[in-house]
Amino acid sequence: MKKRLSFSSLKAFSDCEAEAVAVMAEEWDRQSTFSPSTIEAMNAGSYVHKYFESNKALEEFKLEHESDMFTKKGSLKSQFQIAEKMVQTLDKDPLFKTIYQGVKELEIFGKIQGIEFHGFLDCLNLERNIFIDIKTIRGSIRDKEWSETEYRRVSWIESRKYLWQMAIYQELLRQSDDEKIGKNIQPVIYAITKETFPDSSGITIPQEWLDDSLLEVQEASEKYIEVLNGREPKRCERCNYCKATKLNTHTISITELI
Ligand SMILES: [Zn+2]
């Protein structure tokens, strides 16, 4: 198991401990379970990020992903046509253009509950005391999704645990010994949608929500430490890994399905 965590590895661990441990042990290739359209959508999301990182990053991305981006006839694949529209929308969004300034793709480090964490900031704007994270999303910015843990519909930002990500990054920045970096830098999630007419908004988060999220991150990290120290990882019995490795030994009651 990894000694150093990122937001995505902690999220994967909290979604299914057994799958995350198998991925870290290289016994399970999660990427290979993704459908071609999911991979195309992920690449298109990277394209949007690279476009606003630097010309160099964009050119490198295009070279590396030429076969992913274009059909055999040479036209842009559908997800990249959408990505191009998203880029154009952000490029004429006055708020985005004003605040998405500063250091791009900055790697940050620190410790939470004694475990090393690292992360990448899309953009750190020290003049405004904010960091910005671009999120490309399929639905509408106001979409809600069902949360299995909260038993209610919550915003996509909560259901995908992006509050954890923002709380982790804020904490890692707080731990930085760079004097230029303040102690209470605020996150801005810059959402851009894949709708026919892409929508964009910069979204701030109340500090109490970030504080609560950091507590949840600390609890999840404690669980990770338990498994590092030898506790058997829990199976979610819902993910592809659990389905692929399931060995039924008893029946379940219909009441468990409600
Ligand atoms: Zn599972």
Side-chain angles (χ1 to χ4, degrees):
M1 281 172 74
K2 283 185 193 167
K3 289 278 188 303
R4 197 171 77 165
L5 286 176
S6 61
F7 156 68
S8 55
S9 53
L10 185 70
K11 180 183 178 295
F13 180 79
S14 85
D15 289 344
C16 179
E17 294 183 357
E19 185 192 40
V21 170
V23 169
M24 286 180 200
E26 294 181 355
E27 291 165 1
W28 180 250
D29 181 2
R30 195 160 174 263
Q31 291 272 348
S32 71
T33 66
F34 296 159
S35 68
S37 65
T38 303
I39 293 169
E40 197 184 320
M42 285 163 67
N43 284 333
S46 300
Y47 174 83
V48 176
H49 281 81
K50 297 291 175 192
Y51 183 94
F52 293 104
E53 184 186 330
S54 66
N55 282 337
K56 184 170 167 277
L58 182 66
E59 289 312 315
E60 281 172 6
F61 179 89
K62 282 180 177 171
L63 274 179
E64 200 182 322
H65 290 273
E66 207 178 348
S67 61
D68 302 324
M69 290 178 70
F70 294 96
T71 63
K72 288 201 180 93
K73 286 182 182 163
S75 54
L76 261 184
K77 285 188 182 171
S78 63
Q79 291 281 354
F80 284 93
Q81 288 179 16
I82 300 168
E84 195 53 49
K85 270 193 189 175
M86 293 158 89
V87 158
Q88 285 165 15
T89 302
L90 283 178
D91 225 3
K92 60 180 172 53
D93 176 334
L95 177 65
F96 180 78
K97 294 296 274 185
T98 306
I99 67 173
Y100 204 75
Q101 304 289 339
V103 193
K104 311 278 171 64
E105 271 298 292
L106 177 68
E107 191 170 19
I108 51 172
F109 304 92
K111 278 187 174 181
I112 294 172
Q113 301 304 91
I115 293 200
E116 277 181 44
F117 269 77
H118 77 126
F120 281 95
L121 302 180
D122 286 346
C123 179
L124 174 64
N125 183 335
L126 286 175
E127 276 181 21
R128 290 175 183 261
N129 212 35
I130 54 174
F131 64 93
I132 303 134
D133 197 86
I134 299 176
K135 296 292 185 207
T136 54
I137 59 164
R138 201 181 317 150
S140 143
I141 286 172
R142 293 176 192 279
D143 269 359
K144 291 196 167 62
E145 292 172 1
W146 179 257
S147 160
E148 282 289 343
T149 48
E150 306 242 347
Y151 295 105
R152 64 183 175 94
R153 277 156 50 82
V154 296
S155 88
W156 54 274
I157 295 173
E158 288 177 87
S159 70
R160 297 177 201 179
K161 294 198 167 66
Y162 291 145
L163 293 179
W164 282 21
Q165 185 183 18
M166 298 304 117
I168 291 168
Y169 291 178
Q170 189 182 51
E171 174 59 23
L172 300 187
L173 283 170
R174 207 176 273 143
Q175 292 175 16
S176 166
D177 42 25
D178 186 335
E179 283 172 9
K180 286 192 253 72
I181 296 178
K183 292 295 164 205
N184 205 24
I185 300 197
Q186 293 298 311
V188 175
I189 291 178
Y190 222 101
I192 170 81
T193 72
K194 299 175 184 177
E195 295 167 297
T196 313
F197 293 90
D199 191 12
S200 62
S201 274
I203 302 160
T204 59
I205 303 155
Q207 186 57 48
E208 309 92 81
W209 291 32
L210 293 165
D211 294 342
D212 288 347
S213 299
L214 187 61
L215 289 176
E216 290 173 16
V217 165
Q218 288 166 344
E219 281 168 23
S221 305
E222 289 287 348
K223 286 189 183 146
Y224 187 79
I225 294 168
E226 286 170 21
V227 174
L228 262 185
N229 290 338
R231 172 169 68 72
E232 188 76 15
K234 284 188 188 132
R235 295 167 58 87
C236 75
E237 302 299 2
R238 287 165 191 235
C239 72
N240 288 333
Y241 170 78
C242 286
K243 284 188 272 188
T245 56
K246 196 173 185 184
L247 297 168
N248 281 326
T249 55
H250 53 71
T251 55
I252 59 168
S253 164
I254 191 171
T255 57
E256 289 178 46
L257 305 179
I258 295 168

